[in-house]
Amino acid sequence: MLRDLLVLTALVGSALGHGKVTIPTPRAPGTAAQAACGAGAYKVLTSDLWGPIENAAAKVDSGYNATACHLYFCKGYQFDDNKSNVYTYTPGQTVTFHVSIEARHTGYANVSVVDLAARTTIGKPLYNWPVYTNNSLGPPDWPADETDFSITLPDVGTKCQKAGACAIQWYWYAYSNKQTYESCVDFVTP
Ligand SMILES: [Cu+2]
């Protein structure tokens, strides 16, 4: 009980969330996200880049444009804010990732190539964690590949030759807290 109280105090004290990709540099929110998602959701998106999407969804207001802002796809972040941050990856290339986890919540996670227009995955997951950040484990038992891993870009045909067509999305659903986290890395193939 005392331990629970201490944990709760620590969480309230930090008031920050919970996980995002930091390598490669993922999409970030900017003025296009502000216009698409509205002031209420945007404020949450920018105040805690690690926070769960549900926190932003809870603050959706009349400025939210549902056809432009898809909070549960690339976290509602917009390509227009990230045109200068598009990686070039060749099929077969290994891409190293780092995920920054600020708070562990048991869930599942995966990494996929996504079609940005259709908002669907392309092919099979490139990485899959049936159990992710199991919060019953102590630090010595945290799997290293939850935060440091690499993927191999598959053959995506001609689908990803234009900037804004494809991204690699890291997706984490923490069912223990009913919280969703996403980071997208825009890329093109030569
Ligand atoms: Cu969290």
Side-chain angles (χ1 to χ4, degrees), residues 17-18 52 103 105 172 177 179 181:
H18 315 263
H105 316 302
W172 170 26
N177 295 47
Q179 293 178 340
Y181 303 89

Side-chain angles (χ1 to χ4, degrees), residues 8-163:
L8 187 64
T9 305
L11 287 173
V12 171
S14 74
L16 288 172
H18 315 263
K20 71 187 280 285
V21 168
T22 55
I23 298 172
T25 303
R27 273 193 189 185
T31 53
Q34 186 171 24
C37 301
Y42 180 74
K43 188 178 176 193
V44 178
L45 289 177
T46 50
S47 65
D48 182 5
L49 295 174
W50 277 254
I53 295 170
E54 285 75 8
N55 286 3
K59 297 294 183 184
V60 160
D61 59 22
S62 60
Y64 181 78
N65 178 347
T67 61
C69 178
H70 304 280
L71 278 177
Y72 287 91
F73 186 79
C74 294
K75 209 175 181 177
Y77 297 174
Q78 303 290 305
F79 176 68
D80 281 351
D81 290 324
N82 294 277
K83 284 178 173 171
S84 63
N85 184 36
V86 178
Y87 290 81
T88 299
Y89 297 138
T90 305
Q93 180 177 344
T94 298
V95 182
T96 298
F97 275 74
H98 180 73
V99 179
S100 168
I101 302 283
E102 288 191 338
R104 296 171 64 84
H105 316 302
T106 307
Y108 58 84
N110 52 62
V111 173
S112 303
V113 176
V114 292
D115 178 324
L116 292 166
R119 298 189 303 280
T120 55
T121 56
I122 295 174
K124 293 178 182 164
L126 309 180
Y127 215 103
N128 188 46
W129 298 265
V131 177
Y132 193 70
T133 67
N134 180 345
N135 58 16
S136 69
L137 299 178
D141 298 319
W142 292 350
D145 78 343
E146 291 177 346
T147 47
D148 290 282
F149 60 93
S150 59
I151 61 94
T152 302
L153 193 75
D155 184 356
V156 289
T158 57
K159 286 187 176 127
C160 302
Q161 291 177 338
K162 279 182 70 175

